[in-house]
Amino acid sequence: MKLHNEIEIADFLKAVAEAEGEVWLESYQGDKYNLKSTLSRYVAIAALIGDHGDELELYCQPKDEHLFIRFFKNHPETL
């Protein structure tokens, strides 16, 4: 799912923290940012709110999809 750089960071990170499985952002160039890693998370958030944030896609395990569906329902401007 593509994200726009107008994202509510605190709520997004809360959904990531609640996820049991892996969660990552991927760029068109193939860069992958593991959002479960603290260092990688900082780099990913910087990329997300930067000029190319709308080029990142969110991936998660199927068992965690409900967390992000809820996030997007509460923040439709993110899509």
Side-chain angles (χ1 to χ4, degrees):
M1 185 167 284
K2 281 189 187 178
L3 300 175
H4 291 288
N5 54 2
E6 299 167 4
I7 187 169
E8 175 55 49
I9 299 296
D11 287 349
F12 180 71
L13 291 178
K14 182 179 176 188
V16 170
E18 292 176 8
E20 294 178 28
E22 295 297 316
V23 181
W24 68 97
L25 293 174
E26 191 169 330
S27 73
Y28 290 142
Q29 295 81 18
D31 299 324
K32 292 183 181 180
Y33 303 102
N34 177 0
L35 296 177
K36 290 294 195 164
S37 161
T38 303
L39 178 61
S40 183
R41 185 181 313 137
Y42 286 121
V43 175
I45 295 302
L48 187 58
I49 61 176
D51 291 337
H52 301 286
D54 58 347
E55 296 175 3
L56 297 172
E57 292 194 48
L58 174 68
Y59 294 91
C60 68
Q61 304 297 312
K63 64 183 173 185
D64 295 319
E65 288 177 347
H66 69 282
L67 298 168
F68 296 99
I69 291 171
R70 181 179 65 207
F71 170 79
F72 293 123
K73 183 178 178 184
N74 292 334
H75 302 284
E77 71 281 359
T78 304
L79 295 174

